Amino acid sequence: MNILVCIKQVPDMEGKFVPNEAGSWFDEAGLAWKMNEYDAFAVEEAVRLKEQLGGGARVTALSIGPARAVETIRKALAMGCDDGVHIDDPDAPQRDPWQIASMIAGFAAGRGFDLIFTGMQSEDRGSAQVGVLVAEQLGLSSVTGITAFEWLDGSMTVESELEGGRKYRLRLKPPVLLTCQPGLNTPRYPTLPNIMKSKRAALAVLSQESVSLDSPKVLSANFRPHEPNAAGVILEGDVDTLASQVLDLLEAKGFISTQGGVR
Amino acid sequence: MKLLLVGEVRDGRITTETAELFGFAARLKAEVSMALVGNVGEFPAFSGRLYRANGGNEYDATFHKRLVLDAVERERPDAVVFLHSSLGWDIAPRVAFAMQAAQVSGVVGLDDGGYVVESCNGKMRRTVRPLTSRAVLTIQPGAFAPVATEGTPELIAIEAEPDSAIEFLGCIQPERGIDLTRAGVIVSAGRGLGSADRVELVRALADALGGEVGASRPVVDAGWLERARQVGSSGQSVSPSLYVACGISGAIQHLAGMKGSGFVLAVNTDRDAPITSVADVLAVADLAEFLPALTAAIRTRR
């Protein structure tokens, strides 16, 4: 069993985002980096499947990005992936989903992956396109937003999430691409020995020029903060004063009654 | 501009969000047609062509893609418009790939000929412009107000081969038991709480306010609270008169589930969190200190 996991390094979303000079995306200065949360579920599921299958499975973690992406590949190795591949592309953050998918598909074509796991979307771009586009380009079946995965005797049963907590239950056989949704599993914390081992592991580094790359299909501009509620009030200060201010507001709105009930 | 809208059918009915597709089309003053896959007895009222197929299996993404492409072939629209829903994110990229067309995901607004989408978990926005002559769009549920349309559509049957690569085993219904949809006050726990034991602080405030406890998705995924308390597009849609968001950043899927709330109090240390786009009051505070203080203040004043 030959498994590929596609991972992206994204900023910590708690960070402060400032537009870059072109206004097309964010300036990277001052941001902290981590593995895209959705991709952590993909890595965990791939590693669990490898563990279930024993010696016959191998997991490759692939990331496209600038030099900093290496840290995220090492994290995937520390979580239990066997091989790390870095497509070294300083321009990756600016590329659209179509381009990223063309690079992944170009890498995966002919390498005989039975299963490809990706996150359902990235936390920063949030386009939810790359996984499906890779599958379409490779001619693979794909299921999006899986929240359960079970491997038994050469086929897998997955659950794909719908609105309102409903799920489809589906059975399929490799080769297939699955995009992973939070709730699928609980990604493990790597152990210290595995972290140390991952730091020494050799990564395969491919230049951007060595993989296929399509032209972009969209242009991004005017990267900006969302508009806060114009009528909203921001309160801050010491906790007791704040609590009393908030209570006054709730009382004025009629949410607190002296009878001990709430309207 | 000609738009092919892709409506959604669930449980033999056209979903209420489908009307938002018409709302989006009205904003663009576009000529519309619709593709609708599924067993349904009634159709949306509008003047235009309605491309229809009864569903095969409830889930067959390739079949669904082929049907939409058949409608695209006959209608030749400038853009194919899906909802940014589980169906939309599953099918739209397949259609975009087949059309070799640009896709813009999660459209929340229009900006000078481009489409506004959210980025960075809803904290930021940007304007995306397709570079191809035809485009595929998915619009964020809740972003475009539905409009009332009238007329009788011209029904046109579309056909495609079902796909057998994926076996449909059935649809699992959510576990229920906690109905938040009728609660007057909901105090919801978010990831910003930091640890499972602090859920008790949320529970205490909910008790003091006479309300129910809700949760954001990460809190449920982490097992801090039961799934039946999840508010959002993959949980329950609620409309209390007071909604208190404790440590909830406000991912769009969460906002979609609580946008009907009357008054929103957000407690968060991040002043830029997207929850501020719907909050009437943002209290910038550490939850571990603020929640007990507010709970105590309510109990004292009563």
Side-chain angles (χ1 to χ4, degrees):
Chain A
M1 174 77 74
N2 194 4
I3 306 168
L4 176 68
V5 196
C6 305
I7 54 178
K8 179 179 185 181
Q9 190 184 44
V10 298
D12 185 331
M13 293 300 140
E14 301 273 304
K16 179 86 183 159
F17 292 97
V18 177
N20 62 14
E21 218 161 286
S24 57
W25 197 228
F26 49 74
D27 190 307
E28 296 196 355
L31 295 171
W33 298 89
K34 56 159 205 158
M35 185 186 293
N36 178 42
E37 180 183 17
Y38 296 83
D39 302 343
F41 298 101
V43 170
E44 176 64 31
E45 205 58 39
V47 171
R48 285 186 189 192
L49 178 59
K50 180 188 96 163
E51 288 166 348
Q52 180 189 339
L53 295 173
R58 204 157 179 91
V59 182
T60 302
L62 166 71
S63 191
I64 303 172
R68 56 172 163 74
V70 165
E71 289 309 309
T72 295
I73 300 171
R74 293 202 189 280
K75 167 88 186 272
L77 295 178
M79 287 173 73
C81 293
D82 301 291
D83 303 306
V85 179
H86 177 209
I87 298 178
D88 188 2
D89 180 14
D91 296 326
Q94 300 284 339
R95 300 202 192 279
D96 71 9
W98 188 283
Q99 291 184 290
I100 297 295
S102 74
M103 296 168 88
I104 296 172
F107 169 80
R111 283 188 159 87
F113 291 109
D114 302 294
L115 252 173
I116 303 178
F117 288 101
T118 72
M120 202 279 281
Q121 62 181 353
S122 62
E123 292 176 75
D124 53 0
R125 269 185 196 265
S127 299
Q129 295 177 24
V130 170
V132 180
L133 289 175
V134 169
E136 292 295 292
Q137 194 166 333
L138 293 172
L140 300 177
S141 290
S142 61
V143 178
T144 55
I146 67 161
T147 51
F149 175 94
E150 196 183 341
W151 176 267
L152 191 66
D153 298 337
S155 75
M156 64 206 101
T157 304
V158 302
E159 288 173 14
S160 167
E161 190 180 70
L162 309 171
E163 285 70 22
R166 298 158 47 118
K167 288 160 186 176
Y168 288 140
R169 210 169 149 75
L170 309 167
R171 184 178 296 136
L172 56 167
K173 285 191 160 70
V176 62
L177 182 145
L178 303 170
T179 81
C180 302
Q181 181 83 322
L184 174 62
N185 53 44
T186 306
R188 70 192 65 191
Y189 291 104
T191 60
L192 193 58
N194 284 347
I195 293 172
M196 297 317 289
K197 211 171 112 194
S198 75
K199 284 190 193 302
R200 292 191 301 270
L203 306 184
V205 182
L206 304 175
S207 68
Q208 179 268 305
E209 291 77 16
S210 69
V211 292
S212 57
L213 173 65
D214 285 2
S215 316
K217 296 270 187 214
V218 297
L219 273 185
S220 271
N222 199 9
F223 183 80
R224 59 197 186 273
H226 76 95
E227 294 101 39
N229 179 4
V233 181
I234 297 180
L235 299 174
E236 49 194 329
D238 85 277
V239 165
D240 291 323
T241 316
L242 200 55
S244 144
Q245 279 175 312
V246 169
L247 178 55
D248 288 344
L249 267 166
L250 295 181
E251 210 164 31
K253 291 279 171 191
F255 295 124
I256 316 279
S257 81
T258 46
Q259 278 77 44
V262 167
R263 204 176 66 174
Chain B
M1 191 179 203
K2 266 176 83 171
L3 299 181
L4 174 69
L5 312 177
V6 182
E8 297 195 12
V9 173
R10 200 141 281 159
D11 295 330
R13 294 185 129 138
I14 295 163
T15 64
T16 53
E17 289 80 9
T18 296
E20 297 176 20
L21 294 166
F22 287 105
F24 174 75
R27 285 277 301 279
L28 284 168
K29 299 187 175 58
E31 183 191 326
V32 297
S33 57
M34 178 171 273
L36 198 60
V37 178
N39 300 314
V40 61
E42 51 180 348
F43 303 117
F46 74 102
S47 299
R49 287 171 290 279
L50 178 64
Y51 295 92
R52 275 276 307 134
N54 283 329
N57 282 326
E58 202 178 327
Y59 177 91
D60 186 338
T62 303
F63 177 59
H64 211 128
K65 169 187 78 173
R66 289 172 182 156
L67 288 168
V68 173
L69 287 171
D70 188 22
V72 168
E73 188 67 26
R74 295 169 194 230
E75 186 67 21
R76 307 221 145 259
D78 299 302
V80 185
V81 189
F82 292 82
L83 287 156
H84 196 64
S85 58
S86 59
L87 180 93
W89 74 57
D90 195 61
I91 312 283
R94 301 173 201 258
V95 170
F97 185 79
M99 292 172 66
Q100 295 283 297
Q103 182 183 334
V104 184
S105 303
V107 177
V108 295
L110 302 172
D111 174 21
D112 191 23
Y115 302 101
V116 182
V117 304
E118 308 221 301
S119 305
C120 302
N121 271 355
K123 230 169 147 166
M124 306 296 287
R125 294 186 159 194
R126 66 197 156 102
T127 302
V128 181
R129 290 187 177 79
L131 294 170
T132 52
S133 59
R134 298 188 297 172
V136 173
L137 311 172
T138 64
I139 64 164
Q140 196 69 56
F144 294 91
V147 289
T149 49
E150 51 187 46
T152 307
E154 176 194 347
L155 299 186
I156 299 168
I158 41 176
E159 286 169 19
E161 284 296 308
D163 189 70
S164 56
I166 300 179
E167 187 186 350
F168 177 68
L169 301 177
C171 185
I172 303 166
Q173 300 297 331
E175 320 144 26
R176 278 282 181 257
I178 302 155
D179 184 8
L180 299 177
T181 61
R182 277 189 274 275
V185 175
I186 297 175
V187 183
S188 279
R191 172 152 47 185
L193 278 172
S195 61
D197 52 322
R198 292 196 183 144
V199 168
E200 287 316 309
L201 306 179
V202 172
R203 218 185 290 277
L205 178 59
D207 284 346
L209 287 166
E212 281 284 355
V213 173
S216 71
R217 181 183 189 127
V219 162
V220 169
D221 286 339
W224 297 356
L225 275 165
E226 55 270 49
R227 193 157 292 278
R229 293 194 183 274
Q230 187 183 329
V231 173
S233 52
S234 50
Q236 300 191 50
S237 287
V238 301
S239 50
S241 49
L242 171 63
Y243 189 83
V244 184
C246 306
I248 294 177
S249 69
I252 190 124
Q253 294 80 2
H254 187 80
L255 301 187
M258 49 68 76
K259 63 179 188 286
S261 303
F263 188 85
V264 177
L265 164 65
V267 187
N268 211 302
T269 49
D270 184 357
R271 299 172 65 119
D272 300 324
I275 191 78
T276 57
S277 64
V278 298
D280 295 287
V281 175
L282 168 70
V284 183
D286 178 357
L287 289 154
E289 294 173 15
F290 177 77
L291 293 181
L294 180 59
T295 304
I298 293 168
R299 298 233 182 260
T300 310
R301 198 164 302 187
R302 275 221 178 112

